[in-house]
Amino acid sequence: MHLVSRARAQLHGLPQRTARKIRLLPSRLRARLGRGGDDDDSFELHRVTRHGAAIEATLRALGERVADATWSLASVAHAPPALVFTDVGGRSLELRLHADERRAYARTRYFSLVYRGRGELDEPARALLDRVVEAVRGLELRRDAREALRRPALTRVHYYPSLWRAELRPSLVCNHQCGFCNSVDRAGTDNTSQGIDDLLANLELITRLPVLSVAISGGEPTLQRRLPELIERLAACGVSVELQTNGMALAEREYTTRLVRAGLRTALISLHSARPERSDDAITRLPGAWSRTVAGIDEAVRAGLRVELSHVIHRHNADETREYLEFVRRRWGRAALVRLAFVAPTGDARAQAAAFIPRIEEVVPHLVPALAYARRARVRVLMIAYCGIPPCLIQPEHGVSEVARARGDVTFSDDHRKLPACAGCTYERRCPGLWTRYLELHGDPGLRAMT
Ligand SMILES: C[S@@+](CC[C@H](N)C(=O)[O-])C[C@H]1O[C@@H](n2cnc3c(N)ncnc32)[C@H](O)[C@@H]1O
């Protein structure tokens, strides 16, 4: 199917206002929309980088070499690099090159090769896979060729039409080592991050979208030398720029001033504990990091940025929410908004769920009194919807939930689930429920309809 008509078909079934916004896109960009991401209502826009073009040429040559009378090369993909073959009967077989993957069909020195296809592998299919494995082994002997296969192949932009918002991850490199990080999947492929140079070269992917705000996340974006330039170019297009950061770099006054002059308006700064040793030893695993982050928040407030603190409740801090909120009040008063999340079972947290994801029933006895304190002391707190705890579980303090504050219906994705007990809830059309993965891990924490 032609790309534009496929994009149109993808629009089918979306809420009307979302589809209308996407139709505003120039057809050249609309054609690159790919459904996916965290949220039903999100799309990925991508453009093949120059590394991607080289990866494609290498894979094509390899695929054509191993094709035979039964299997012909149908297409190649970039991230992860993959070859798709079809046989004379229309069967398809895809072989992906991952960096490290347990379910691999075969391993070469540098790649795990994973196949996808329907049914049992018959002899011709197995022979084809074996030829690909051998060809990859030959290819990776050359250092330039194997490194080329691991470079970022796509510049990706995540687009949330209903929020008029885009998210960028210029790199997944980070100087913190949070074990629960939802962006890093140490078992995943190397080929998923973007380069800031590629982003800057393809900025119209973002600026031609109907967006009002752009979040720059990562990885740690302040490690990118060209970050001020990225902020400046986005701000010059009239979008509001938010930086998601661990805040350490902001401790340098000159740097923060530079970002503000470039046009930065909001900093969402991760601070997961009020206890320096706990934070450095058990959470970010970087000595001295807590003090730098706190100094960075001081500077962000001083510079007049809109400051939000990302506090992810997980196994290593679930007992200290009140202490944390008291600390925030003493240090920054109402200048900082605390965005509370409950650890999402994605990325590394998914891989090590038992170590990081507590039962919600264990968290609530600490959380609800802490929220009551915040209400009395007028600490600004928001429990986020998508990665938060549903309002029914934090009663009577459910007023802090984004779900309770949202207007209109919200579309949520397949990775969340509600239970029969949710039927008829006041928040039925705004609450995402819980991550399916959480329910599989710990079962129902007592979800119930609020009326
Ligand atoms: C992955 S970080 C990257 C940006 C930056 N390096 C930082 O430390 O904030 C982006 C945001 O996701 C949050 N986060 C990380 N892991 C999470 C998880 N498992 N569940 C929910 N939020 C998470 C962080 O606190 C931060 O606000």
Side-chain angles (χ1 to χ4, degrees):
M1 201 189 312
H2 187 265
L3 277 175
V4 174
S5 32
R6 194 171 72 204
R8 287 214 178 99
Q10 283 170 339
L11 300 185
H12 196 71
L14 282 178
Q16 236 185 15
R17 66 196 162 113
T18 305
R20 214 177 309 126
K21 275 186 218 168
I22 293 171
R23 283 196 196 99
L24 291 174
L25 296 176
S27 59
R28 206 164 52 79
L29 286 179
R30 209 169 47 199
R32 291 202 191 89
L33 283 173
R35 198 69 188 270
D38 292 333
D39 190 318
D40 257 356
D41 188 22
S42 82
F43 288 84
E44 186 185 86
L45 281 153
H46 53 246
R47 179 167 289 177
V48 178
T49 65
R50 68 203 143 86
H51 303 309
I55 290 172
E56 186 171 334
T58 306
L59 292 178
R60 240 174 230 297
L62 188 150
E64 275 156 15
R65 219 169 49 240
V66 299
D68 60 12
T70 314
W71 291 97
S72 56
L73 181 69
S75 60
V76 297
H78 302 90
L83 297 136
V84 183
F85 296 89
T86 46
D87 77 356
V88 279
R91 238 181 352 147
S92 87
L93 193 59
E94 180 179 352
L95 200 72
R96 297 176 162 199
L97 276 66
H98 287 278
D100 182 18
E101 173 63 60
R102 267 161 283 154
R103 294 156 302 158
Y105 169 75
R107 285 197 177 75
T108 65
R109 182 139 186 215
Y110 297 94
F111 297 101
S112 301
L113 286 92
V114 177
Y115 79 87
R116 288 181 157 199
R118 289 233 182 96
E120 290 289 300
L121 278 184
D122 59 14
E123 212 29 60
R126 200 176 285 279
L128 171 76
L129 294 183
D130 292 342
R131 286 200 299 278
V132 175
V133 174
E134 278 320 302
V136 171
R137 286 202 172 112
L139 192 72
E140 69 182 12
L141 289 177
R142 284 185 13 233
R143 187 168 165 199
D144 58 335
R146 68 170 181 265
E147 281 178 1
L149 279 175
R150 297 152 115 192
R151 295 216 172 93
L154 299 175
T155 296
R156 301 163 187 262
V157 173
H158 236 103
Y159 174 45
Y160 298 81
S162 64
L163 304 173
W164 301 82
R165 176 182 168 90
E167 279 182 13
L168 315 177
R169 292 184 195 275
S171 161
L172 295 182
V173 174
C174 192
N175 42 4
H176 280 185
Q177 293 285 320
C178 307
F180 59 85
C181 183
N182 60 1
S183 299
V184 182
D185 182 351
R186 282 172 243 273
T189 79
D190 291 341
N191 213 357
T192 52
S193 64
Q194 313 157 343
I196 197 160
D197 298 339
D198 288 320
L199 272 178
L200 279 162
N202 291 302
L203 216 60
E204 86 274 10
L205 270 181
I206 307 147
T207 53
R208 294 187 65 183
L209 287 171
V211 292
L212 296 176
S213 68
V214 173
I216 306 174
S217 187
E220 177 47 45
T222 59
L223 297 177
Q224 300 297 313
R225 190 177 52 83
R226 297 182 75 187
L227 177 67
E229 189 184 339
L230 180 61
I231 293 174
E232 188 165 5
R233 299 230 346 240
L234 288 169
C237 297
V239 295
S240 167
V241 183
E242 171 190 309
L243 182 67
Q244 300 191 355
T245 172
N246 61 38
M248 293 202 303
L250 303 180
E252 259 177 61
R253 184 163 296 183
E254 229 172 76
Y255 183 71
T256 304
T257 307
R258 197 164 153 219
L259 296 189
V260 172
R261 288 213 180 113
L264 182 66
R265 291 288 163 268
T266 305
L268 174 68
I269 305 177
S270 290
L271 183 71
H272 304 303
S273 177
R275 304 183 197 174
E277 306 78 38
R278 171 182 273 193
S279 183
D280 292 354
D281 297 347
I283 301 180
T284 62
R285 298 187 280 199
L286 180 71
W290 186 90
S291 311
R292 296 268 310 159
T293 293
V294 168
I297 299 168
D298 290 345
E299 282 305 321
V301 169
R302 188 204 58 79
L305 283 171
R306 189 170 132 167
V307 174
E308 302 185 350
L309 304 180
S310 171
H311 183 80
V312 178
I313 298 173
H314 66 290
R315 209 179 272 294
H316 295 298
N317 66 1
D319 58 347
E320 65 155 291
T321 314
R322 170 153 184 166
E323 184 184 334
Y324 178 86
L325 295 172
E326 285 174 350
F327 173 75
V328 170
R329 177 176 186 251
R330 274 199 310 280
R331 187 131 188 154
W332 301 295
R334 288 179 59 79
L337 167 79
V338 177
R339 290 176 70 91
L340 286 178
F342 181 72
V343 58
T346 56
D348 274 359
R350 182 186 173 98
Q352 303 181 60
F356 293 104
I357 307 178
R359 285 183 178 278
I360 291 178
E361 300 92 307
E362 290 165 28
V363 169
V364 164
H366 300 280
L367 178 60
V368 169
L371 295 176
Y373 158 77
R375 180 172 40 76
R376 290 192 305 274
R378 304 190 64 238
V379 185
R380 293 170 60 216
V381 179
L382 184 73
M383 168 67 76
I384 64 176
Y386 190 68
C387 288
I389 297 181
C392 61
L393 299 176
I394 53 171
Q395 294 181 74
E397 301 300 333
H398 53 279
V400 302
S401 170
E402 208 170 29
V403 173
R405 294 178 192 184
R407 297 219 178 91
D409 298 350
V410 181
T411 323
F412 290 103
S413 77
D414 304 346
D415 52 25
H416 277 61
R417 207 151 52 84
K418 292 190 217 170
L419 298 179
C422 301
C425 179
T426 312
Y427 300 125
E428 197 167 6
R429 302 176 75 168
R430 280 182 258 157
C431 179
L434 275 171
W435 288 90
T436 306
R437 169 83 183 137
Y438 175 88
L439 291 168
E440 285 164 4
L441 192 70
H442 289 316
D444 174 16
L447 289 173
R448 56 196 178 278
M450 290 180 67
T451 49

